[in-house]
Amino acid sequence: MSTIFSQIVEGEIPARVVYEDETTLAFLDANPLAPGHTLVIPKDEYERLDDVPEDVAEDLYATIHRMVPAVEEAVDADATTVAFNNGEAAGQEVPHVHCHIVPRFEGDGGGPIHAVAGDRPDLEDDELDDIAADIESRT
């Protein structure tokens, strides 16, 4: 089934498109967290980041790289939070990879990305070493 983002790509649902190339699309979020909140997506539908082919991931990052300063300048933001929710448990509501570019302003009341996970785990050095080794072995 086609996601709402695929329907935007196909022109079936209107959006405020701010950038488009052969593989990516950027548009204003319909439910913004801040003025200028922009989503960047691959045009093809991929549910999670690890589903995105490497060449499309390169194009996606290139578009993000282009859009961050454009968004910041357009709304005179002090900074931006740039993030992916990768999977339902992480808060991904649309099963189509999308990057949020959220303009940030001094005193906006928003927190850092570290605030999204709730309580932090208390991990011992040997646990951290085991996790690092396991991740490294999978790359």
Side-chain angles (χ1 to χ4, degrees):
M1 183 172 171
S2 186
T3 68
I4 190 170
F5 294 160
S6 291
Q7 293 171 344
I8 289 171
V9 170
E10 294 301 319
E12 297 168 6
I13 295 175
R16 290 180 174 86
V17 174
V18 296
Y19 178 81
E20 181 174 8
D21 62 27
E22 190 173 306
T23 56
T24 66
L25 187 72
F27 52 93
L28 294 184
D29 192 305
N31 297 298
L33 298 175
H37 181 172
T38 300
L39 301 178
V40 179
I41 66 168
K43 286 183 173 179
D44 290 336
E45 201 170 292
Y46 305 101
E47 186 171 343
R48 294 179 61 122
L49 285 169
D50 53 322
D51 298 329
V52 179
E54 190 170 327
D55 61 328
V56 176
E58 290 171 0
D59 293 344
L60 184 63
Y61 185 79
T63 299
I64 295 164
H65 187 262
R66 172 188 293 249
M67 295 308 305
V68 167
V71 170
E72 287 179 354
E73 291 170 18
V75 297
D76 198 27
D78 298 312
T80 46
T81 295
V82 180
F84 290 88
N85 294 319
N86 192 40
E88 192 175 341
Q92 183 179 5
E93 295 177 348
V94 178
H96 186 138
V97 167
H98 55 288
C99 175
H100 293 263
I101 301 173
V102 182
R104 300 296 304 274
F105 304 90
E106 285 294 326
D108 66 10
I113 196 74
H114 291 89
V116 302
D119 295 333
R120 294 184 185 196
D122 184 22
L123 299 169
E124 300 293 328
D125 284 342
D126 60 334
E127 292 173 293
L128 292 168
D129 291 341
D130 289 345
I131 293 168
D134 194 23
I135 293 171
E136 183 181 16
S137 74
R138 297 168 191 269
T139 58

